[in-house]
Amino acid sequence: MTNTPAIPTSVLTLASEAQRVTVLTGAGMSAESGVPTFRDAQTGLWARYDATALATPEAWERDPALVWSWYMWRHHLVRQTEPNAGHKALGGWETTASVTVVTQNIDDLHERGGSSRVHHLHGSLFAFRCSRCSRPYTQPVDDTPPHDTPRKPPACDECAGPVRPGVVWFGEMLPNSPWEASVRAVQDCDLLLVVGTSSLVYPAAGLPRIAQDRGIPIVEVNTEETPLSTQCTACLRIPAASALPRLADMHVT
Ligand code: BJW
Ligand code: ZN
C-alpha cells in the first residue's frame, strides 16, 4: 500500500494526449536528489544564512568571499547528487512527446536525467564570468571542502576583477535567449506542467499566465499550495519524483 494520492484520470489523459509538453521547474524538482530548496530553512553550514539574501548583488558587493563560498558549497554538493526519478521521467518522455524544460534551477540534473531541450532562466552553477568586464571564466574552480572558511573568488585573466557565479540574482535581468525560448515554449504547448516552484519569483512566475491566456491546461506538481494553485486546471500534491514517472509512463505502450 502506498500513501501517495492517485492521479485523476483527467490529468493522466491530458498527459497521454499532449504532443508538446512544457515543464517549468523550480527547486522542489531537485529536492529529492538532495539539493536544498530556496525557501526551506538551510541546513548545516549555511543554516544561519537566508538563501534569498545571499542571492543578491548587494550580498556580493558586501562580502564576495562569503557568496563565493556558498556557491562553491552548492557546486560541490550538486556534483555529488544524481538526477531523481522525476528528472529521468522527463528525459524518457522525449521518446513519445516533444518535451521542453524551462528551469529556474542552476543545477545540471535535467541534462543528466536525459532532457535534451532545457532552458536555464537563472543561469548555471557551472558557468562563471568576471564581475567587472563580464569575460567568461573557464578555468577549473576549487570547490573542495571545507566551505566554512570564506575563500576569495578567483581573479579574471583579463582585468583581475573578481570572478562571479554565472547566475541571475534579484534585481538582475534574465538572459535574453533562454527567456525568449521559454516564452515560446509555454505559448506552443498542449500541456504546461509547473513542478516544485513556489511561484513567487518573477518573471518566471508569470510564464503560466501566458499559457492560461491561450487556454492551455496547466497542472501544478507541488507538495504545497502556491499562489499559482487557484489558476491551475489541476494540482497534484505529490512529490515530483513520484508524480512525473506516473505522468510520463502514460506514453509507454
Ligand atoms: C516540492 C518538493 C517535491 C519541495 N516535489 N514540490 C514584484 C512583482 C514582480 C517582480 C518583482 C516584484 N518585486 C521585485 C520583483 C523582482 C524580483 C522578484 O520576483 N521578487 C519576488 C521575490 C517578488 N525578480 C527579479 O529581480 C528578477 N529579475 C527581474 O525582475 O529583472 C527585471 C528587474 C530589473 C531591475 C529591477 C527590477 C526588476 C530576477 C530573479 C532572480 C532569482 N534568482 C534566484 C537565485 C538564482 C541563482 C541561485 O540559485 O543561487 O533564483 S532567487 C531563487 O528563487 C532562485 C530560484 O530559481 C527562485 C525561485 O525559487 P523556487 O525554485 O520556486 O524555489 P522555492 O524554494 O521558493 O520553492 C520550492 C517549491 O518546491 C515549494 O513550493 C515547495 O512546496 C516545493 N517542493 N519539495 C514537488 N519533492
Ligand atoms: Zn575581467
Side-chain angles (χ1 to χ4, degrees):
M1 278 291 283
T2 168
N3 291 327
T4 315
I7 298 182
T9 311
S10 57
V11 176
L12 294 174
T13 304
L14 282 174
S16 66
E17 289 182 351
Q19 289 173 356
R20 299 163 307 165
V21 180
T22 296
V23 190
L24 170 62
T25 68
M29 179 78 222
S30 299
E32 291 157 277
S33 291
V35 183
T37 67
F38 249 82
R39 280 158 192 82
D40 283 350
Q42 296 206 82
T43 49
L45 273 183
W46 298 96
R48 64 204 166 90
Y49 295 96
D50 168 6
T52 56
L54 285 170
T56 64
E58 293 75 23
W60 172 256
E61 269 144 41
R62 196 181 320 117
D63 195 344
L66 176 74
V67 174
W68 181 259
S69 303
W70 181 52
Y71 279 95
M72 286 303 101
W73 171 69
R74 294 170 66 198
H75 191 271
H76 186 261
L77 178 109
V78 165
R79 288 201 304 114
Q80 321 299 310
T81 63
E82 295 296 334
N84 64 48
H87 296 108
K88 290 179 189 163
L90 295 181
W93 206 343
E94 288 189 11
T95 54
T96 51
S98 166
V99 181
T100 304
V101 175
V102 173
T103 189
Q104 299 168 81
N105 299 342
I106 61 172
D107 63 48
D108 59 351
L109 293 171
H110 281 301
E111 288 86 346
R112 286 198 268 141
S115 288
S116 60
R117 224 176 354 263
V118 185
H119 305 303
H120 282 270
L121 289 175
H122 293 163
S124 165
L125 201 41
F126 304 98
F128 303 91
R129 67 172 187 273
C130 176
S131 62
R132 201 175 285 158
C133 73
S134 297
R135 186 187 165 98
Y137 182 82
T138 53
Q139 292 181 41
V141 292
D142 177 13
D143 71 357
T144 51
H147 300 104
D148 52 355
T149 320
R151 75 180 70 152
K152 270 173 56 175
C156 170
D157 306 326
E158 187 73 16
C159 77
V163 170
R164 59 162 282 177
V167 302
V168 183
W169 288 325
F170 284 112
E172 296 184 325
M173 302 300 287
L174 273 56
N176 244 323
S177 148
W179 171 252
E180 283 165 9
S182 301
V183 170
R184 282 195 299 276
V186 294
Q187 281 172 341
D188 300 334
C189 65
D190 310 313
L191 172 65
L192 176 64
L193 296 178
V194 183
V195 183
T197 175
S198 54
S199 290
L200 292 171
V201 176
Y202 284 80
L207 286 169
R209 180 66 198 260
I210 297 173
Q212 192 190 19
D213 287 348
R214 296 185 166 224
I216 296 165
I218 304 172
V219 174
E220 179 175 65
V221 177
N222 197 309
T223 46
E224 307 284 335
E225 194 173 336
T226 75
L228 180 71
S229 302
T230 56
Q231 313 303 310
C232 293
T233 316
C235 297
L236 305 179
R237 298 280 165 250
I238 303 173
S242 306
L244 294 174
R246 286 148 75 189
L247 293 172
D249 271 349
M250 287 305 291
H251 288 276
V252 177
T253 46

